Amino acid sequence: MAFRIWEIGLHIQQHDVLAVAIVRDASGWLLQRWWRMPLAHQVVVDGLIREPEQLTAVLLPWSRELPHRHHIHLSFPANRTLQKKLPRPAMTLREPEQTAWLSGAMARELDMEPDALQFDYSEDTLSPAFNVTAAQSKEISALLTLMHPLKVQVTAITPDASALQRLIPYLPEHQQCLVWRDDAQWLWATRSAWGRKSTGEIDDIDALAAALSLCPADIALCDAGGFDPLNAVSVRQPPIPTDSHNFAVALGLAMGGVY
């Protein structure tokens, strides 16, 4: 066990940072550790890191606890990303040409230089199109710069809402959407899509279901009486967090996914 690589999801939120460490073996995922690190007011506001030095100071003691063999899967706020569906080009392109074409098309859509964007894409399963997610390069670079003093091994940066997709296979059969919320936002994911809604525009789960064109019964909510993300973990090494529903995004990040 000591020689396995710890896969660690690090979910930076407005009020605290949550982290989960898991490893994989033949029986599935094994929970190793979890952490909750409170943040002072205004360190992170609406997904923007306002006080990077304070955030680094909070994360530094935590980083010193990590084993040498680890991978950090870092969250990026969904509200700082843009999702677009772009039709496939008329001609067939090789992967490098396809990537360059998508980069240019996304840059034109946003009236930005291609170098100003970081993006990822996947083929749409229902139409001849690409689903493209983009973020500003300067915000990705700022996040990596913040992590540099910690001397950790960042493997992936993933939109927080999309990390919930890793937990979809563990939902009851009649449910197709997983939702996590805090006091500012609803993060949601299905097998094919993900996103974020403000609590200012969506009051409750019924309103969220209507906005997503779903029935409330289709939605699993990560809360004290709802879906427990630790259902995805085969072996839980104590102590176990009493509020494990809050760790859904961190666990989804740790389970994989690259942005």
Side-chain angles (χ1 to χ4, degrees):
M1 184 73 68
F3 299 102
R4 293 195 180 121
I5 296 175
W6 282 23
E7 305 293 343
I8 301 170
L10 188 65
H11 183 197
I12 300 173
Q13 304 176 59
Q14 190 146 301
H15 303 300
D16 51 22
V17 180
L18 299 180
V20 172
I22 54 178
V23 297
R24 182 101 193 203
D25 73 359
S27 64
W29 291 109
L30 287 64
L31 179 65
Q32 297 298 291
R33 290 282 302 277
W34 57 271
W35 301 264
R36 180 192 295 275
M37 294 161 273
L39 296 177
H41 186 57
Q42 297 291 308
V43 172
V44 178
V45 179
D46 199 27
L48 288 173
I49 300 171
R50 296 284 182 84
E51 302 291 343
E53 296 84 3
Q54 290 190 41
L55 181 55
T56 299
V58 168
L59 293 174
L60 193 57
W62 163 79
S63 68
R64 292 169 176 162
E65 297 180 24
L66 303 181
H68 177 69
R69 292 169 58 85
H70 71 266
H71 294 152
I72 301 293
H73 304 262
L74 185 59
S75 71
F76 189 82
N79 66 316
R80 303 301 302 171
T81 67
L82 180 67
Q83 297 184 68
K84 286 281 188 180
K85 181 175 290 189
L86 297 176
R88 295 178 64 94
M91 65 184 71
T92 301
L93 301 176
R94 292 176 298 178
E95 186 170 348
E97 297 167 331
Q98 184 169 279
T99 301
W101 179 84
L102 285 167
S103 175
M106 199 68 175
R108 288 190 296 274
E109 284 268 344
L110 301 176
D111 195 22
M112 298 176 68
E113 292 296 323
D115 290 347
L117 294 173
Q118 296 280 345
F119 73 97
D120 191 17
Y121 67 92
S122 61
E123 293 192 30
D124 191 276
T125 56
L126 302 177
S127 63
F130 293 106
N131 295 317
V132 185
T133 305
Q136 293 192 53
S137 298
K138 64 181 181 180
E139 294 189 11
I140 299 290
S141 296
L143 194 54
L144 290 173
T145 298
L146 183 149
M147 302 300 289
H148 183 71
L150 307 181
K151 299 180 180 178
V152 294
Q153 301 168 37
V154 178
T155 298
I157 299 177
T158 305
D160 47 18
S162 73
L164 294 173
Q165 290 182 314
R166 301 295 174 182
L167 299 171
I168 296 293
Y170 301 93
L171 295 182
E173 288 186 4
H174 68 282
Q175 294 178 317
Q176 57 182 291
C177 179
L178 181 61
V179 172
W180 177 96
R181 69 160 293 174
D182 59 18
D183 58 359
Q185 62 184 349
W186 303 81
L187 301 181
W188 62 270
T190 64
R191 289 184 183 273
S192 59
W194 54 268
R196 181 251 192 200
K197 297 286 187 182
S198 166
T199 53
E201 59 179 318
I202 299 292
D203 292 329
D204 54 31
I205 200 72
D206 290 341
L208 180 64
L212 300 178
S213 300
L214 295 171
C215 297
D218 295 333
I219 295 176
L221 178 61
C222 292
D223 64 7
F227 177 75
D228 184 354
L230 290 184
N231 290 345
V233 177
S234 300
V235 179
R236 309 176 186 184
Q237 189 156 311
I240 305 299
T242 55
D243 57 345
S244 57
H245 56 278
N246 287 327
F247 290 81
V249 173
L251 181 58
L253 290 166
M255 292 171 68
V258 178
Y259 172 60

